[in-house]
């Protein structure tokens, strides 16, 4: 599969992917909100000639373990006609490597354990955190040994706080 991954933010493509996938602009607006607030840690676009998928990460503050670098994976979308071809997996695996290489210790995601479990995300690690999204769909992945010590209350980026 010849997909290309690119960190530069292509806003028209990003809006097109999220609106094709979710039938609304809310998710792309969240990414733009994160960007405007300086909370967008990583944006990765997948191209198969045309833009086909996108994942965003935003900052997460861990109040009890503030020396840990943590991020939230959301949103994620692969355009409907390109789903189930491994593009989502490429986006996640590649972005997690980029975060690990830049010193991130922990990633949090809210989603289907059946999907995110294959990348190592676990609800058990997330259970030690106190978040607005506590429950079986909240999963965490430690990118370093330090990440395994994460616990206590967290603050999401403002773009999410305004959705609560
Ligand atoms: C979820 C999504 C990003 C996965 O991307 P993808 O490129 O289709 O995924 P991959 O090809 O890497 O993996 C395919 C696997 O994901 C599973 N999958 C796809 N969407 C899923 C979902 N919403 N929940 C659970 N599993 C899902 C497929 O069943 C398949 O599983 P299998 O390997 O056991 O057969 C994509 O399907 C998508 O954008 N879906 C709609 C939006 C969404 O739900 N986004 C995630 C939350 S913000």
């Amino acid at each position: 599969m010849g997909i290309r991954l690119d960190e530069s933010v292509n806003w028209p493509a990003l809006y097109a992917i999220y609106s094709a996938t979710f039938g609304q602009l809310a998710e792309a607006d969240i990414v733009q909100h994160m960007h405007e607030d300086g909370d967008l840690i990583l944006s990765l676009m997948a191209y198969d000639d045309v833009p086909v998928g996108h994942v965003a990460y935003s900052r997460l503050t861990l109040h009890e373990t503030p020396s840990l670098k943590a991020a939230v994976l959301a949103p994620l979308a692969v355009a409907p006609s390109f789903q189930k071809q491994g593009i989502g997996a490429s986006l996640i695996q590649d972005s997690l490597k980029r975060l690990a290489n830049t010193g991130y210790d922990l990633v949090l995601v809210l989603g289907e354990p059946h999907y995110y479990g294959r990348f190592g995300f676990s609800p058990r690690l997330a259970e030690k955190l106190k978040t607005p999204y506590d429950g079986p769909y909240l999963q965490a992945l430690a990118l370093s040994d330090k990440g395994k010590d994460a616990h206590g209350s967290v603050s999401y980026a403002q773009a999410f706080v305004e959705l609560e």
Side-chain angles (χ1 to χ4, degrees), residues 21-22 75-79 82-90 110 112 114-116 118-119:
T21 305
F22 293 103
L76 163 70
V78 173
F82 292 91
Q83 290 176 4
K84 301 198 178 185
Q85 299 174 29
I87 295 170
S90 294
L110 188 68
E112 277 290 338
H114 171 72
Y115 187 65
Y116 290 102
R118 68 190 70 184
F119 307 108

Side-chain angles (χ1 to χ4, degrees), residues 49-109:
D49 290 334
V50 294
V52 293
H54 181 262
V55 65
Y57 291 83
S58 55
R59 64 143 193 92
L60 180 77
T61 305
L62 301 174
H63 296 291
E64 321 271 327
T65 48
S67 67
L68 265 68
K69 278 180 81 174
V72 172
L73 187 175
L76 163 70
V78 173
S81 49
F82 292 91
Q83 290 176 4
K84 301 198 178 185
Q85 299 174 29
I87 295 170
S90 294
L91 276 168
I92 293 175
Q93 283 159 347
D94 196 272
S95 55
L96 291 174
K97 267 190 215 142
R98 289 174 197 237
L99 290 174
N101 288 341
T102 49
Y104 277 85
D105 300 297
L106 187 82
V107 176
L108 212 51
V109 71

